[in-house]
Amino acid sequence: MTSQDSSAPRGEEIIAPIRVRTAPAGSQTAARRHPRRMGVAAVLLLIAALTAGGIWWIGDLSRHPVETPPAAALVLPTPPLPNAQASSEPQPPPPPPLPAAAAPASLDASQAAEQAEAVEQRLASAERLAAAGNLSAAQSDFQEALRLDPQSQPARAGLQRVMSRLAAEEFRRWMAEGFKALNTGDLTTAQARFLKAKALRPDAPEVVEALAQTERSLRTARIEAARQRALTAEQREDWIGALAAYEEALGMEPALQFAQQGKERAAALGALERRIAFFVNQPGLLDSDAQLENAGRLLQEIQAAPPVGSRLRAEADKLGAMVQTAKTPVRVTIESDTLTEVSVYRVGRLGRFGTRELSLRPGTYTVAGSRDGYRDERLELVVKPGPEPIRVTIICKVKV
């Protein structure tokens, strides 16, 4: 390297040239006399060259980073001396190679051994607990063993075996509680317990039969409840409520004789009650001959009907009294002037008279009078039941 090589790449260190002074010719003899000095000079020159190369290599590495090789590959061979004959001093021994990274195989093997031992302990504990009947604790230990080793077939098989035993015990418990409730008449609780058992073993014949027995008992209880409601309604003469209860019972069992008979009885008495109320609530209807006749036929039907309650009997008696009153005539006296032609609607033409007595049943009548050359007269006659006679006068007085 000369002093003219002054340009270097950016980022690289510039190594100052080392000038070596050439000894004069007369000193060559002295140099041969001192070979040790020549060797020292050569070593210094080698060190300077290695230093310059190392500095350049560090700069290049900072510009182009590379992956760090394994520790074992970092041991570099010692470069040979430029002139082995020029140095007679012994070289220092090379540095020992870096120790290789400890292999994780031994650590993994230790962990695996510890894990296997923990799994075995859990399995042994689970088996002991299962044999003692503590299935819940055994299940917990099997689950822990399976967590430590998800591939453990003994843990998986043991967990399945314990869970099967737990399910069987739970099934027996639900069945026992269901039959206990069934025997005490608590049918709703019995059905709920049997349904829980069915969820565990849907096809078990014992649970199917237990549910069927419970359903029959429930249907019988519901029918009896409907019958009691119907009888209570009949006692209150609530024929609508009684009819609904009998129809509910027939919906569960269409062949129930008591419900069929009760339905017919309730329907008939309910119809009678509505027909009686039709006349009782509208007494004016009996003024009509047709409606009065209908009321009379209704009373005859009531006499032929099954025994009725006191309330319906009272309503029937009330209607009977109304019909009797409507049929009882009332004495009515009509006065005129012997010149007026008198007519009574619903009765007929009465002609000319001074006084005329009629027997009219209670109701509303229209009395009309007519005379040639006079304006017609008209009045409304309301005949009310009672012993007192009624008197009216009709005369045509206004000329036209």
Side-chain angles (χ1 to χ4, degrees):
M1 183 180 294
T2 64
S3 60
Q4 294 178 357
D5 299 332
S6 59
S7 62
R10 182 174 300 177
E12 296 183 0
E13 297 292 338
I14 300 175
I15 308 302
I18 300 175
R19 291 187 178 89
V20 180
R21 182 176 296 176
T22 305
S27 62
Q28 293 180 356
T29 304
R32 285 194 298 270
R33 295 175 182 174
H34 303 283
R36 191 184 191 108
R37 294 180 179 178
M38 294 296 293
V40 172
V43 171
L44 292 175
L45 183 61
L46 177 61
I47 292 173
L50 292 175
T51 303
I55 294 173
W56 177 86
W57 181 75
I58 292 173
D60 183 72
L61 184 61
S62 64
R63 291 190 302 273
H64 307 287
V66 296
E67 296 183 357
T68 305
L74 293 177
V75 180
L76 300 177
T78 303
L81 295 176
N83 190 359
Q85 296 178 355
S87 176
S88 59
E89 292 186 356
Q91 299 298 322
L98 295 176
S106 60
L107 182 60
D108 290 346
S110 176
Q111 291 178 347
E114 293 178 358
Q115 179 177 337
E117 183 179 358
V119 170
E120 290 298 328
Q121 291 177 354
R122 289 291 182 178
L123 290 175
S125 174
E127 293 294 348
R128 287 194 302 270
L129 292 170
N134 192 351
L135 299 180
S136 298
Q139 180 185 17
S140 177
D141 277 352
F142 277 127
Q143 289 174 340
E144 178 62 18
L146 198 59
R147 186 190 68 81
L148 293 172
D149 184 6
Q151 304 302 323
S152 174
Q153 291 301 323
R156 192 177 304 277
L159 179 60
Q160 185 176 2
R161 185 174 64 255
V162 168
M163 291 180 65
S164 297
R165 290 179 59 185
L166 283 171
E169 287 190 358
E170 187 177 9
F171 176 82
R172 288 191 294 270
R173 178 166 61 87
W174 291 132
M175 292 295 291
E177 292 184 4
F179 280 116
K180 181 180 178 180
L182 183 62
N183 293 332
T184 58
D186 189 358
L187 302 179
T188 302
T189 301
Q191 186 179 49
R193 297 298 184 267
F194 289 142
L195 287 175
K196 288 182 178 293
K198 184 179 180 181
L200 296 173
R201 294 184 182 179
D203 299 328
E206 58 268 34
V207 74
V208 173
E209 176 58 29
L211 281 172
Q213 181 180 353
T214 305
E215 182 59 33
R216 289 192 296 269
S217 299
L218 282 171
R219 185 170 62 252
T220 301
R222 288 193 291 264
I223 290 174
E224 179 60 23
R227 190 179 74 87
Q228 292 298 329
R229 287 197 302 273
L231 293 178
T232 302
E234 286 196 23
Q235 291 174 358
R236 297 195 308 265
E237 299 184 57
D238 177 13
W239 308 113
I240 296 177
L243 181 62
Y246 285 129
E247 288 179 342
E248 180 183 352
L250 290 172
M252 292 181 282
E253 186 60 55
L256 290 173
Q257 187 174 4
F258 83 88
Q260 292 175 350
Q261 296 174 352
K263 178 182 176 180
E264 294 177 0
R265 181 173 61 255
L269 293 176
L272 287 177
E273 183 181 49
R274 290 190 297 271
R275 292 172 63 188
I276 293 173
F278 176 75
F279 291 108
V280 170
N281 296 333
Q282 304 177 82
L285 293 175
L286 298 180
D287 294 343
S288 168
D289 293 337
Q291 294 294 354
L292 181 61
E293 185 177 355
N294 290 335
R297 284 197 298 267
L298 175 58
L299 290 174
Q300 293 176 358
E301 292 179 17
I302 293 175
Q303 295 296 329
V308 298
S310 59
R311 187 172 61 83
L312 186 57
R313 173 55 59 186
E315 292 296 307
D317 292 342
K318 184 177 181 179
L319 176 60
M322 291 173 60
V323 169
Q324 184 62 35
T325 300
K327 289 181 178 181
T328 302
V330 178
R331 189 174 62 180
V332 178
T333 301
I334 302 177
E335 296 179 348
S336 187
D337 58 357
T338 68
L339 300 175
T340 301
E341 189 76 24
V342 179
S343 298
V344 178
Y345 294 156
R346 296 173 52 196
V347 176
R349 298 175 63 88
L350 302 181
R352 299 172 185 174
F353 54 85
T355 300
R356 182 78 177 266
E357 288 188 359
L358 300 175
S359 292
L360 301 176
R361 66 181 184 83
T364 301
Y365 300 85
T366 301
V367 181
S370 62
R371 180 180 177 186
D372 292 340
Y374 291 81
R375 187 182 66 188
D376 292 344
E377 296 292 335
R378 188 184 301 263
L379 61 87
E380 185 178 79
L381 173 62
V382 178
V383 179
K384 294 182 179 181
E388 296 296 328
I390 300 174
R391 184 179 296 273
V392 295
T393 301
I394 184 165
I395 298 174
C396 294
K397 299 179 180 180
V398 180
K399 292 184 178 183
V400 294

